[in-house]
Structures are given as structure tokens and as C-alpha cells.
């Protein structure tokens, strides 16, 4: 289940980071791990980034010299990406609120699956 959640939420996490600043591809996974307190570790493929470029959510920025001195391709968020993030974030929050409400309403007494 964890891998499916990562796949489903990877775009939203990338877009959240890109609200703050432009990133190059290899910075994204460590940033997600660090910002999530180590709770989320992901392996990004360029396929995710290029899919988001095709969708118009992010764009390639001019190459820059990274802090390690290497020339890197940075990615930035677009206005459609900001709009998509806001819609995704609202849907995510509504969904997780509903799941939490449902699970909290069930009195699970150590039976492992919610059996009463």
C-alpha cells in the first residue's frame, strides 16, 4: 500500500516543494525525506518530471550551477501547476479527513481488523 500512496502523491509532493523554489531532479527525493521527517522516502524517475512537463504543471528552467559546482537542469512550477496543486491538495485533505473520521468512529478493540 505504501508504494501505491507514494505513486499517487508524488506529483503533489513535488509541486509542494516547487512552490518554495526551483529544484533539480536529484534534490527532490532527499528534500521529501528531510521535510517529511524521514517518514517518506521516494525514488524519482525523470518520467515523473517529464510527465508533469507534458501536463504543463512544471517547466525546465535554464541550467544553473548547483551548490556542488555541477551544471544542473532545474525545474519550476507553472501557474497551471499551482492551480493543479491547490485542487489536488483540497481533494487530498477532504479524502484523508473522511478516512480519519471513518476509522476514528470504529471502536477497534485489539482484534486486528475491526471485527466486533
Amino acid at each position: 500500500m505504501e508504494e501505491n500512496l507514494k505513486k499517487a502523491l508524488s506529483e503533489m509532493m513535488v509541486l509542494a516543494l516547487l512552490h518554495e523554489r526551483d529544484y533539480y531532479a536529484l534534490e527532490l527525493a532527499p528534500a521529501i525525506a528531510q521535510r517529511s521527517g524521514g517518514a517518506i522516502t521516494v525514488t524519482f524517475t525523470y518520467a515523473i518530471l517529464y510527465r508533469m512537463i507534458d501536463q504543463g504543471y512544471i517547466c525546465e528552467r535554464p541550467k544553473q550551477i548547483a551548490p556542488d559546482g555541477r551544471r544542473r537542469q532545474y525545474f519550476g512550477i507553472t501557474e497551471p501547476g499551482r492551480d493543479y496543486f491547490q485542487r489536488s491538495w483540497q481533494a487530498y485533505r477532504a479524502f484523508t479527513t473522511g478516512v480519519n473520521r471513518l476509522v476514528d468512529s470504529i471502536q477497534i478493540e485489539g482484534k486486528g481488523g475491526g471485527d466486533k
Side-chain angles (χ1 to χ4, degrees), residues 5 15 25 29 33 40 48-49 52 59-60 62 73 76 81-82 94 105 112:
L5 285 171
L15 292 173
I40 304 169
I48 293 168
L49 296 173
M52 291 191 342
C59 62
E60 292 180 329
Q73 178 66 63
R82 290 180 192 280
S105 74

Side-chain angles (χ1 to χ4, degrees), residues 32-75:
I32 289 171
Q34 189 267 327
R35 298 291 283 271
S36 70
I40 304 169
T41 57
V42 293
T43 303
F44 280 102
T45 64
Y46 281 90
I48 293 168
L49 296 173
Y50 291 124
R51 182 175 63 241
M52 291 191 342
I53 288 170
D54 289 344
Q55 294 167 328
Y57 300 150
I58 66 172
C59 62
E60 292 180 329
R61 302 284 194 217
K63 289 187 178 181
Q64 300 176 25
I65 303 300
D68 65 3
R70 295 182 182 175
R71 193 167 162 82
R72 301 279 189 184
Q73 178 66 63
Y74 281 76
F75 298 89

